[in-house]
Amino acid sequence: MPAYRSDLPFVPAADRAAREHDTVSFEVDGEVLVARRGETIATALLRHGRLAFGPHPVTREPVGPLCLMGSCFGCLCEIDGRPGSQACLEVVRDGLIVRTRIDT
Amino acid sequence: MSRYGPSCVDTIVIGAGPAGLATADVLSERGHRVLLLDEQIAPGGQIGRRAASSTGFERWPWPERYGITAPGRPRANSGRDGRENAFAALERPTVHYAPGSTVIDAVADDAGVRITWQQASTIDPSGHATGTHVHRVTLEPLDSNPEIRTATLDPSLPVRPLADTRAAALVLATGATERPLVFPGHTLPGILTAGALQALLKQAALVPAAGGLVLAGQGPLLLLVAEQVSRAGGRVEALLWTGPHGAYLRALPGLLRAGFAEPDLVREGARLLVSLRRRGIPLIDRIDALRAHGRERVERVTGRARGRSFAFDCGVLGIHDGVLPNTQLVRLLGLTLARDPITQDLVPRCDATGASSATRVWIAGDGGGIGGAPLAVLRGRLAGLAVHRSLTGPDRQLDERIMILARQVTSRRRARTWVDRSHPPLRIDRFADERTTLCRCEAVTLGEVRAAIAAGASGPNRIKTFTRCGMGTCQGRYCHEPLDRLLRQSTGEDRPQWLRVRPPLKPVLAIDYLAADSAGESTHDPMSEPSSLTRERAAAGTAPDDARSTES
């Protein structure tokens, strides 16, 4: 069971099933994060307090996911070398390498 | 789930939510082979969203525990909750369910319908993460290819969706998206839609941390989210209700009618309101101003209600302003849309069975006009029966069933209109000012779009050409509706016109796209190791091809 920090914007639901779960670890921008098995890459990042996934390509202001269902494109990342991937539509798995929106 | 590939299927169903699953169920029950494509990692649609697992999907404990019931119709001999297994279709060998599959192109013409889709490797049903693959599906006219329906699947084949799959009918069950709530600061990280908060709960068992959540907007879903988050141990600091004052009163006659036709719906609404009051969630209504503040993320939401100012600190702001049919694929296929008489939203034109303006294309569930999950199940079954009829020919008993079901769906949809009447979409400038972003991807402001209209941009596609509004990575998924609302409200023009949608629908690597093309009828096996070219990862072709735009 991973340790959770209390200053995070999202916390596990008040239920044993929410806290006890299998984990996978993956890499985001060089940092190793622990996620819940079966969740998406986007929720795994939100779990660790990452609300912003990178600078907006036009305004350079921080952007983050809005809809988590594949519509808003606020969660675009490079996933295992594939740019322009939607982090909310892919399951997190061990050894995955994610780079959040690359400043171009 | 099928263990062999569908080189030929009778029907392609896009979307594995309540409607798509019901369609696949009806068709597979009658012996038809179905290719069920779904973009999400697990079946169930938004309402039945759950975590993925090695067996395809996890029977998530949350739905039952937090009042999120799986869609299904009551049946005497079903499970202990009195509902039929909504996922029955997935267990049939004639259904090939492909999660993580995104449609990237679709063409409909005299030769039939051609669909290109890609499946992400991470959720490959075979369990081998080998890279993303692009597949093509051709939907050919039944009469020109009589052998399509008689071709048999070879059970000895391994799981292998072929590069070129053929089918005889197409059912779009692509569901709904949320209507954007547009206000100053709405693009800040930490602002999520009500649906996103549900996704976090259902798929990741996460709730906003205590003291951090404020909800803003209107609609039944916002109340449901307040209730679900509270039940899961979260706390809603304030519910900022943006609905116009008196809307409930004006919708009262409809509510009374709905009370007779849809008692469950009305009871559920009443239960939510009572529950929110009992939990002591502060409800602020009659809001005239709303604004989000923060530097790197949302930190505070302020506004004015009943002439008095309010301010709340927040770490997460949940927003919602009702739902819309997802028409991205409908517009790409060039199907006809019409205006919903109540909401004025653009809705695909289809008959009572869901048959669209193109032959062999049906639309089931919320994607054909909002009706909600229980109704989506019925509409999915109805579309399934209609497709079955088109494949096997008319039959007196079948025709009667279709007619009865169509009548039921029509009357229940009519009863549900009070929901739309009591939550009319807001005027676009209710909270937004000239500097508020309308198009998130290209950062186009309301003022820039207004200036384009003043300069003579008379339709959404011209505005797109003038300003780049709707030209970004989401391809207008988010701004097409606010843009339509702005155009209607500032010019008074309300004939149906819409932002064109261009392929690719979603980002795809050019090299994958080309590989699928060259595969054609060859024996190319997309499930095998990716080619070295794929590994080289050519640049993503994300931007819609607007060079072909011919505005007239």
Side-chain angles (χ1 to χ4, degrees):
Chain A
M1 198 179 105
Y4 290 103
R5 301 209 320 262
S6 59
D7 59 335
L8 296 175
F10 294 99
V11 294
D15 196 291
R16 253 179 57 195
R19 290 162 200 276
E20 291 171 6
H21 55 81
D22 290 346
T23 58
V24 296
S25 49
F26 70 116
E27 197 183 308
V28 180
D29 300 330
E31 187 188 350
V32 175
L33 297 183
V34 176
R36 182 190 178 100
R37 186 179 294 280
E39 72 176 322
T40 64
I41 296 166
T43 62
L45 288 172
L46 291 173
R47 181 183 292 279
H48 290 274
R50 287 197 177 222
L51 294 174
F53 284 26
H56 191 284
V58 179
T59 64
R60 325 309 296 167
E61 283 164 11
V63 214
L66 169 73
C67 76
L68 295 182
M69 55 176 267
S71 289
C72 75
F73 287 69
C75 65
L76 285 189
C77 289
E78 184 185 293
I79 299 169
D80 269 356
R82 301 182 67 86
S85 298
Q86 292 180 279
C88 71
L89 293 180
E90 292 198 35
V91 182
V92 66
R93 61 183 157 78
D94 275 314
L96 204 66
I97 296 175
V98 178
R99 291 173 72 195
T100 54
R101 201 181 294 217
I102 297 130
D103 203 355
T104 46
Chain B
M1 203 187 302
S2 164
R3 298 309 298 166
Y4 28 90
S7 62
C8 275
V9 292
D10 300 303
T11 309
I12 299 158
V13 178
I14 300 174
L21 286 168
T23 304
D25 184 32
V26 163
L27 286 166
S28 57
E29 209 172 39
R30 284 159 183 75
H32 301 292
R33 287 151 307 178
V34 178
L35 173 61
L36 179 58
L37 302 178
D38 191 49
E39 189 170 57
Q40 307 296 331
I41 61 174
Q46 298 309 322
I47 193 160
R49 183 180 271 279
R50 61 203 61 233
S53 81
S54 51
T55 54
F57 59 92
E58 189 177 325
R59 295 237 175 238
W60 198 232
W62 303 108
E64 291 72 33
R65 223 169 285 186
Y66 294 109
I68 306 160
T69 43
R73 71 186 162 135
R75 192 189 263 180
N77 59 354
S78 59
R80 61 190 160 83
D81 62 350
R83 280 164 185 273
E84 113 181 75
N85 177 11
F87 303 104
L90 303 182
E91 281 140 31
R92 296 227 174 83
T94 47
V95 175
H96 183 92
Y97 162 62
S101 296
T102 296
V103 175
I104 51 182
D105 195 4
V107 180
D109 55 29
D110 293 342
V113 181
R114 193 167 148 94
I115 295 169
T116 309
W117 53 283
Q118 66 176 338
Q119 185 167 23
S121 59
T122 49
I123 27 192
D124 191 320
S126 65
H128 300 294
T130 53
T132 298
H133 301 293
V134 174
H135 312 284
R136 287 244 152 77
V137 176
T138 314
L139 175 65
E140 294 179 35
L142 200 56
D143 40 18
S144 69
N145 262 297
E147 80 280 8
I148 283 186
R149 287 201 53 254
T150 52
T152 49
L153 289 171
D154 180 356
S156 64
L157 280 173
V159 179
R160 199 178 69 166
L162 300 181
D164 201 336
T165 307
R166 294 181 297 170
L170 172 67
V171 180
L172 307 178
T174 53
T177 57
E178 285 178 77
R179 184 193 311 282
L181 183 66
V182 183
F183 57 98
H186 73 104
T187 56
L188 281 168
I191 298 182
L192 286 100
T193 65
L197 293 178
Q198 286 188 306
L200 277 161
L201 179 58
K202 296 177 188 180
Q203 207 155 46
L206 291 173
V207 289
L213 175 66
V214 173
L215 297 175
Q218 62 166 343
L221 191 68
L222 198 65
L223 300 178
L224 182 62
V225 167
E227 151 87 355
Q228 287 170 343
V229 166
S230 303
R231 271 215 247 178
R235 206 171 72 216
V236 182
E237 296 307 310
L239 183 56
L240 311 174
W241 192 258
T242 60
H245 186 65
Y248 273 116
L249 211 60
R250 280 195 296 277
L252 199 61
L255 175 61
L256 294 177
R257 262 200 310 280
F260 288 108
E262 293 282 86
D264 288 352
L265 191 71
V266 176
R267 204 177 302 131
E268 174 69 5
R271 186 186 69 80
L272 285 178
L273 287 171
V274 169
S275 156
L276 296 183
R277 175 153 294 199
R278 216 188 50 231
R279 289 177 195 281
I281 296 172
L283 179 82
I284 295 176
D285 66 347
R286 295 225 231 174
I287 295 173
D288 310 312
L290 184 69
R291 182 180 288 269
H293 310 261
R295 279 166 47 80
E296 299 288 298
R297 49 190 267 193
V298 65
E299 290 161 15
R300 195 170 167 80
V301 55
T302 63
R304 208 172 52 246
R306 296 171 186 260
R308 285 166 57 185
S309 312
F310 62 80
F312 293 95
D313 289 335
C314 62
V316 178
L317 175 60
I319 56 170
H320 180 70
D321 190 17
V323 290
L324 307 160
N326 172 5
T327 58
Q328 214 71 10
L329 203 44
V330 168
R331 284 180 284 145
L332 181 68
L333 280 167
L335 308 183
T336 312
L337 291 100
R339 288 219 182 270
D340 180 284
I342 297 166
T343 62
Q344 300 300 312
D345 288 327
L346 290 161
V347 177
R349 188 179 289 165
C350 37
D351 74 5
T353 68
S356 77
S357 57
T359 45
R360 282 177 288 275
V361 181
W362 279 261
I363 302 168
D366 280 353
I370 303 303
L375 204 48
V377 175
L378 290 185
R379 293 159 87 189
R381 301 193 75 84
L382 183 55
L385 289 175
V387 170
H388 173 61
R389 185 184 187 277
S390 83
L391 296 174
T392 58
D395 166 279
R396 207 171 59 84
Q397 240 181 332
L398 177 63
D399 290 354
E400 204 166 295
R401 262 197 87 184
I402 289 176
M403 208 174 66
I404 292 169
L405 200 51
R407 214 178 283 148
Q408 203 181 341
V409 164
T410 308
S411 82
R412 287 185 64 178
R413 279 193 73 192
R414 202 175 299 137
R416 198 198 167 277
T417 53
W418 75 272
V419 176
D420 297 327
R421 285 186 207 280
S422 53
H423 305 92
L426 304 175
R427 271 193 67 87
I428 196 76
D429 54 4
R430 172 80 177 276
F431 305 124
D433 58 34
E434 296 296 289
R435 285 178 303 155
T436 305
T437 303
L438 197 74
C439 168
R440 292 167 55 93
C441 301
E442 292 290 334
V444 181
T445 63
L446 194 72
E448 286 172 278
V449 172
R450 278 225 175 97
I453 295 172
S458 54
N461 294 295
R462 271 202 189 170
I463 293 173
K464 179 176 169 181
T465 313
F466 274 45
T467 63
R468 296 191 66 83
C469 179
M471 212 184 274
T473 42
C474 95
Q475 288 217 55
R477 278 176 179 80
Y478 256 79
C479 64
H480 81 95
E481 191 278 338
L483 173 62
D484 181 53
R485 224 179 330 153
L486 173 61
L487 201 55
R488 269 187 287 124
Q489 290 167 354
S490 57
T491 63
E493 171 67 68
D494 64 355
R495 79 190 149 89
Q497 49 179 349
W498 51 86
L499 268 184
R500 266 192 301 271
V501 173
R502 304 272 184 214
L505 265 184
K506 288 276 175 104
V508 58
L509 292 186
I511 198 72
D512 289 343
Y513 196 75
L514 297 172
D517 211 19
S518 62
E521 273 93 43
S522 78
T523 52
H524 169 76
D525 179 356
M527 304 302 261
S528 67
E529 280 295 300
S531 67
S532 55
L533 276 175
T534 311
R535 288 213 181 109
E536 278 169 24
R537 291 152 189 156
T542 57
D545 172 18
D546 222 64
R548 284 194 280 139
S549 173
T550 47
E551 184 81 37
S552 56

